[in-house]
Amino acid sequence: MTAHPQILIISGVQGDTRRYRAFHLREQLRLAGIDAQFEHITSATLEQSARSAQVLILQRVSRDSRVETIFHIARNNRAIVLTDIDDLVFIPDSIRWIDSPDFQDTVRASLYRDMLERNKRTLEQSDGVIASTEYLAEQARAYGKPAWVHRNGFSLEMLSLSRKAIETKARSQQAVVIGYASGTPTHDRDFALVQPVLRTLLDHYPHLHLYVAGHLNPGSAWGNTISRVKKIPFIEWRQLPQVLAGFTLNLAPLREDNPFSQSKSEIKFMEAALVGSATIASPTDAFCSAIRDGQTGFLASTPAEWESVLTRLIEQPELKDVVATAARREVIERYSPAVRAVQAVGLINAILDHFRSPLPRLIQPAVLDTTDPETFHHLWTTRAFEQHPTLFERGRYTLRVRGAATLAREMWVYFRRLAAPLFPFRSTTRGN
């Protein structure tokens, strides 16, 4: 028997959710001296890796015939199978809470509903759940599953990139930049919460600018302030610190009456704090956990509160600097890979204890010093993982596991998205 249980992290998706929930967890365990492995559901070596694993963590893996094989292998090996969740993607009717133009396409909506149902089936068959927030853990417990919280944290590479962004950060005594960055095209209604306030402030303060980055339509209701509203296209995550460093104030509005918004983690606060930008956020469960209001950031609920906080920060720039400095210090103390590595070991041990597993417990690492991330450059292996699966590999997997009809629907969605700039979807009017 090895010195510790073999841990296999399997992802069924790509993008930032895979990076935060799969790649970062692997890095944390490896920092702790645990040789955790990663595979994508499409990997040719998946079954082989599963046979040698005693703990399997399924990150957004939707149930299909191959997943059934993985469960069968795990049961034969008496392995523990866990589902990792960072969004409400396991509740079949949660689509009604998502504001996305994609769902104007009935084919896309149908595929998404099918995915939600298959995610639920994966969760139901798993032994337990790892969640990014306490809110999500409670939702999982409603299915009768034990659930543990392992919050999102930044990676060693993110720390290095953020430091470089601070070093090149432009300093201006005049301009104040309020920024909003969106990683998915589902936040138009969240941004609408603050849009009227921002228009009022732009009218009142001629030195104020608004930068909107990523998948968001800021609209055209900006009047004669439109020249100070800048749209930044969606960028690769390694470029994001440079963009965030250009924000004087970082916005993170979320609709508090929307369960999908409540499920979001605090990464917008964390990413901005790493580059020295102060955040104003909605008081969701995650942001209330992360932000000490008035000390490491600000919480605002009503339009009046948003306007009051932003006005105060615009007129008292020294307050922004104090809060941003405190936020960066606290984020590094609470969310660093070293801290998350210790927590990850504790998490696995708590899970082993819960199931009374005979497997040996993980040994807590000695104090880790990751203040110089370049020292651990050998752990920065995400680039190789990010290259797969390719579009062809994904298509081949769908054809083999889910059939030609599903592949045809996925191809329709892919080409429909390519055509969206020429033939855009109408704005969704879906309610809660």
Side-chain angles (χ1 to χ4, degrees), residues 69-257:
T69 299
I70 298 304
F71 270 108
H72 180 72
I73 292 172
R75 297 310 180 216
N76 284 344
N77 291 345
R78 297 183 179 179
I80 297 171
V81 182
L82 306 161
T83 289
D84 181 277
I85 55 175
D86 67 337
D87 239 329
L88 280 180
V89 291
F90 55 94
I91 298 178
D93 67 345
S94 64
I95 189 172
R96 63 193 175 99
W97 298 316
I98 307 173
D99 176 32
S100 173
D102 256 8
F103 298 143
Q104 295 297 299
D105 182 345
T106 57
V107 176
R108 170 61 177 139
S110 174
L111 281 171
Y112 195 84
R113 289 190 183 94
D114 177 62
M115 181 203 70
L116 293 172
E117 179 62 37
R118 293 187 296 113
N119 285 350
K120 179 175 78 80
R121 289 165 57 195
T122 298
L123 183 145
E124 288 174 335
Q125 189 163 354
S126 297
D127 298 307
V129 173
I130 301 172
S132 59
T133 67
E134 183 58 39
Y135 177 85
L136 282 171
E138 285 298 324
Q139 301 301 311
R141 291 173 190 135
Y143 283 82
K145 296 295 178 181
W148 294 264
V149 176
H150 188 63
R151 293 188 177 276
N152 283 322
F154 58 87
S155 67
L156 293 163
E157 188 173 6
M158 286 176 65
L159 177 60
S160 178
L161 292 169
S162 296
R163 285 183 173 176
K164 292 174 183 176
I166 290 177
E167 292 171 0
T168 59
K169 192 170 185 174
R171 298 287 181 180
S172 172
Q173 299 300 317
Q174 301 298 324
V176 174
V177 176
I178 295 178
Y180 180 89
S182 172
T184 61
T186 59
H187 292 290
D188 283 2
R189 290 188 177 182
D190 294 323
F191 183 75
L193 295 172
V194 297
Q195 195 274 342
V197 171
L198 297 174
R199 169 64 196 276
T200 298
L201 294 173
L202 284 166
D203 280 334
H204 190 71
Y205 297 100
H207 66 298
L208 184 63
H209 295 255
L210 173 66
Y211 288 4
V212 178
H215 297 295
L216 182 79
N217 178 13
S220 57
W222 300 99
N224 58 8
T225 68
I226 190 66
S227 62
R228 287 183 279 131
V229 178
K230 181 180 179 180
K231 180 72 171 70
I232 302 173
F234 180 78
I235 54 174
E236 193 257 351
W237 71 268
R238 290 181 176 87
Q239 299 173 298
L240 182 61
Q242 288 289 345
V243 172
L244 295 178
F247 295 176
T248 311
L249 303 171
N250 175 60
L251 302 182
L254 288 169
R255 295 180 62 193
E256 296 170 58
D257 61 344

Side-chain angles (χ1 to χ4, degrees), residues 294-344:
Q295 299 178 61
T296 60
F298 298 88
L299 300 171
S301 184
T302 66
E305 289 176 356
W306 278 96
E307 184 169 355
S308 175
V309 170
L310 286 168
T311 298
R312 183 182 173 199
L313 290 167
I314 292 169
E315 296 183 351
Q316 300 178 38
E318 68 281 356
L319 174 61
K320 179 271 301 178
D321 293 336
V322 170
V323 169
T325 299
R328 188 172 190 276
R329 180 172 57 248
E330 186 157 314
V331 159
I332 290 176
E333 290 175 355
R334 291 180 59 189
Y335 295 86
S336 73
V339 172
R340 284 291 180 262
V342 173
Q343 293 173 349

Side-chain angles (χ1 to χ4, degrees), residues 101-102 105 410-426:
D102 256 8
D105 182 345
E410 290 184 352
M411 290 176 63
W412 162 262
V413 171
Y414 174 76
F415 288 111
R416 180 64 182 87
R417 283 175 172 169
L418 291 180
L422 297 176
F423 306 100
F425 293 110
R426 294 180 180 180

Side-chain angles (χ1 to χ4, degrees), residues 10-13 17 58-62 83-84 86-87 89 119:
I10 304 173
S11 180
V13 294
T17 182
L58 310 184
Q59 186 261 321
R60 285 215 196 183
V61 173
S62 303
T83 289
D84 181 277
D86 67 337
D87 239 329
V89 291
N119 285 350

